[in-house]
Amino acid sequence: MDAITRLKNAIEKFKTNNMQCTICVDSNIGGGKSTLLELINNIPELKQYIELLLEPVEQWQNIGGRYNLLDLFYKDQQKYSYIFQTMTIITRMEMHDKADKQKLVIGERSWLTDKNVFVNQLHKDGVLSDFGHACYN
């Protein structure tokens, strides 16, 4: 049995047992997450079985039709790290809530990575205050 057939069978088993499954693809910036998800998305036999949740970069770049939060964060991490990290977790959770749970949900990055890697590193580097770190957690 090939890998695609095994994956389809596993997804059908989840559906039959009324279970949902989410996989998150994590790596460093530029590590190939989007490329991998694009390759998966281009497998025609899987389209009806999977739902991809790509990082909503465009949403972060257009807050209220006027603010580019991603750009603001990179220009002044001290000022914008808390709000940016809060926005990333909110948008990830919103996307996951809207996802078709009858499919295998594959997300680009996890909220756990936001919390346990990015937020903790910003705090360790002194960019995110103790207060901001405590609020986020």
Side-chain angles (χ1 to χ4, degrees), residues 8-63:
K8 289 195 293 192
N9 290 343
I11 294 166
E12 286 299 329
K13 191 175 192 177
F14 283 126
K15 285 168 60 173
T16 301
N17 292 313
N18 200 27
M19 298 167 58
Q20 68 182 56
C21 183
T22 300
I23 296 173
C24 296
V25 178
D26 276 295
S27 78
N28 294 332
I29 295 170
K33 299 175 300 296
S34 299
T35 301
L36 173 62
L37 294 177
E38 186 178 310
L39 290 170
I40 291 170
N41 197 42
N42 287 331
I43 301 172
E45 299 89 351
L46 293 181
K47 286 205 183 270
Q48 72 186 58
Y49 296 97
I50 62 171
E51 174 144 359
L52 297 180
L53 304 179
L54 301 176
E55 282 191 312
V57 174
E58 295 82 18
Q59 188 175 351
W60 302 336
Q61 293 173 321
N62 186 19
I63 306 294

Side-chain angles (χ1 to χ4, degrees), residues 69-111:
L69 183 55
L70 185 62
D71 187 50
L72 291 169
F73 168 72
Y74 280 116
K75 286 180 180 173
D76 189 347
Q77 291 187 358
Q78 192 91 35
K79 183 174 182 179
Y80 293 103
S81 63
Y82 178 79
I83 193 166
F84 179 70
Q85 292 304 322
T86 301
M87 182 59 93
T88 63
I89 196 168
I90 290 169
T91 54
R92 282 188 215 292
M93 292 299 173
E94 286 175 343
M95 288 171 51
H96 192 269
D97 285 348
K98 293 175 186 173
D100 182 351
K101 306 299 189 315
Q102 295 297 310
K103 295 182 177 185
L104 171 63
V105 177
I106 305 175
E108 184 176 13
R109 283 225 173 90
S110 161
W111 68 271

Side-chain angles (χ1 to χ4, degrees), residues 97-128:
D97 285 348
K98 293 175 186 173
D100 182 351
K101 306 299 189 315
Q102 295 297 310
K103 295 182 177 185
L104 171 63
V105 177
I106 305 175
E108 184 176 13
R109 283 225 173 90
S110 161
W111 68 271
L112 291 168
T113 302
D114 289 337
K115 178 183 184 294
N116 295 318
V117 176
F118 293 107
V119 169
N120 286 345
Q121 189 64 49
L122 288 165
H123 182 248
K124 181 180 172 188
D125 292 346
V127 175
L128 182 62

